[in-house]
Amino acid sequence: RKYELEMAHKQQRKIKGYGSCANNELEKLASQLTLETPASDQAGCCGNHGICSHEVLQDESPGPNPRSSHKLVSRKASFRLSWGCNGDKNGQHKHDFVSFEKGDITTAERSNKQILLKWESSPQTVLFITKPNSNSVHVLCAEMVRWLKEHKKINVVVEPRVSKELLTEDSYYNFIQTWDDDEEKKMLHTKVDLIVTLGGDGTVLWAASLFKGPVPPVVAFSLGSLGFMTPFPSEQYRDCLDNVLNGPFSITLRNRLQCHVIRDAAKDELETEEPILVLNEVTIDRGISSYLTYLECYCDSSFVTCVQGDGLIISTTSGSTAYSLAAGGSMVHPQVPGILFTPICPHSLSFRPLILPEYVTLRVQVPHNSRGQAWASFDGKDRKLLSPGDALICSISPWPVPTACLVDSTTDFLRSIHEGLHWNLRKSQSFDGPRD
């Protein structure tokens, strides 16, 4: 355009001696070749005919209208995001975390947002889960039950074993409630507002295993050897329970794995055994067999690998500091959405642990040509034999375990690895050595 404008001016100078009619035509041509800029820009232009010395001229894009090639397209293509198979409604809850308004994709910063629980009505019923065969736990349980009943007017539910122990000790505890059969135990989540555990991490695992569906908030007091999930000190139980009962308080949503065992004799995958929920991990090992474990692993419809070694650990992020860590897996914040895939003593040095997204489904199958059988254990118990042809299906359960925080999720997690594992603990470097 600049070149054409200059050529028009040259032509105008060459025919300067011609009549006024020719001059008028040339002025019209020159005005047409002038850059189309707003009037406000032309007023402050630093050159003649609308050309500014600071303006950057860009290459023209091919098209029928080169005069408007310097202008941006006013609209962009629109789109929609969907979740689940073929875009169905299986994952519509993820709209809470991802927005795609006006063609721009943004994600909510959920990883740095602490979850708070605020009671809409006062809690009425508390379930106590205690570590067995411990005198200190028994004494503290009796004291806490008495305090909740007398000062907070709270209904107390305990395990049948604990109920028998307390009633044998003193008839004062006639007010406590318990359950008589499995049917009543299955309905606990409809009656219990809060769970109090007295023990270590194993007690929290046991409390979670009592609930196959929704789990009430768990307040875990530390009375065991490990404390990754038990942040509350038992000596200050009155203040701690006051804060929890009054609310609001921070919670950590700990995902659980939902596991199904599919036998080779089953006609289809619908004929499965009762699902098993685990809070830490499911482990597939070779048991007493002298042969290596041979497993075929799939992630959704994709083949992952063949495991040859002592076994495999499929862990939640809450269980990342348990067996998975001992086998070489990474420590993961419990609110990170993911599934840990950790081999146990693999026969290949390049077989390193994986962290997979939370929405996948893992399938671990014992192939028909396996030399031996395999054993699956769920949170360290309920061992099941897996024969050649049997498979184990694992996915994230829709029912997490909400555990109350002493401070917040991150502070409690870092405290647990510092105090429980003595993570990165070493003596400070001496200052009397060589310096730069």
Side-chain angles (χ1 to χ4, degrees), residues 249-269:
F249 59 95
S250 300
I251 63 170
T252 300
L253 293 181
R254 299 180 181 272
N255 285 329
R256 291 189 291 177
L257 285 173
Q258 182 170 278
C259 307
H260 295 85
V261 176
I262 301 176
R263 300 299 178 183
D264 184 40
K267 295 180 181 179
D268 53 52
E269 292 192 3

Side-chain angles (χ1 to χ4, degrees), residues 317-334:
T317 51
S318 294
S320 66
T321 52
Y323 196 179
S324 175
L325 179 63
S330 177
M331 292 186 292
V332 185
H333 192 289

Side-chain angles (χ1 to χ4, degrees), residues 116-119 243-244 246-250:
L116 295 177
L117 190 151
K118 184 177 181 180
W119 301 108
N243 294 333
V244 171
N246 295 329
F249 59 95
S250 300

